[in-house]
Amino acid sequence: AQTVTQSQPEMSVQEAETVTLSCTYDTSESNYYLFWYKQPPSRQMILVIRQEAYKQQNATENRFSVNFQKAAKSFSLKISDSQLGDTAMYFCAFMNPMEYGNKLVFGAGTILRVKS
Amino acid sequence: KAGVTQTPRYLIKTRGQQVTLSCSPISGHRSVSWYQQTPGQGLQFLFEYFSETQRNKGNFPGRFSGRQFSNSRSEMNVSTLELGDSALYLCASSWTGESDYGYTFGSGTRLTVV
């Protein structure tokens, strides 16, 4: 079974600084998808960024970028120029459509607090 | 464009009762998935529906069931409620369920069982 591990339960960062959230996963497959979702107090899960395992290039979305290390099974999220609105719970998620269908397997989450 | 709409937002039920939660996907989205979120177990996949058919199912007891209508709206039912069913239930929709298109989540239904 696939597992996703987020080793940092909580993190804090000063506004305008950079923070990196860690995620590791376990799979024997070579083709899969990885996601970072953000869940603010409003409860809605918002897709931050996604990465296809077959792509070597790290995904980037504005201030958000990932460091995808396939051999190490690591998928960290870097947030640059942190803003107060980035305060939220962040979830790393894995999907292997070929074997498990379109089911997201989530990590336990990391609470990120951005301080002014 | 309207997002994924879940109703009701909050619900309080008594042990032994049953409950039905509703999810209206984004217009044109045909895949609807349901997740349970609790502090202890985190986010767990319940099931996925595509074109009115259950396409994938998580590891939950038979008390948890769902269905999807021809307009892609989905309902989730939990019978004989237990205290442990208290959770945030999230619905997510996508065009076909294929990951290329991404998933959009609703704001969830907070169910409290007393």
Side-chain angles (χ1 to χ4, degrees), chain A residues 33 35 37 39 42-45 47 50 52 91 95 97 100-104 106, chain B residues 9-10 35 37 43 45 48 55-56 88 90 97 99-100 103 105-108 110:
Chain A
Y33 299 83
F35 306 84
Y37 278 92
Q39 188 178 39
S42 66
R43 306 181 332 198
Q44 184 174 11
M45 298 281 280
L47 177 64
R50 60 187 292 273
E52 294 90 338
F91 292 95
M95 179 192 293
Y100 295 100
N102 301 312
K103 174 180 93 169
L104 289 163
F106 287 91
Chain B
R9 289 266 294 172
Y10 300 91
Y35 290 83
Q37 185 177 18
L43 281 149
F45 172 78
E48 181 207 4
R55 192 159 68 168
N56 202 353
L88 178 66
L90 291 164
S99 58
D100 279 356
Y103 287 87
F105 280 81
S107 296
R110 172 78 66 190

Side-chain angles (χ1 to χ4, degrees), chain B residues 73-84:
Chain B
R73 189 178 71 85
S74 178
E75 288 182 346
M76 189 192 108
N77 185 275
V78 188
S79 62
T80 319
L81 283 165
E82 300 177 359
L83 295 179

Side-chain angles (χ1 to χ4, degrees), chain A residues 36 49 58-67 76-80:
Chain A
W36 278 98
I49 201 164
N58 289 325
T60 299
E61 286 288 342
N62 301 314
R63 299 182 294 107
F64 299 88
S65 61
V66 297
N67 182 4
S76 60
L77 174 70
K78 185 172 85 170
I79 306 174
S80 305

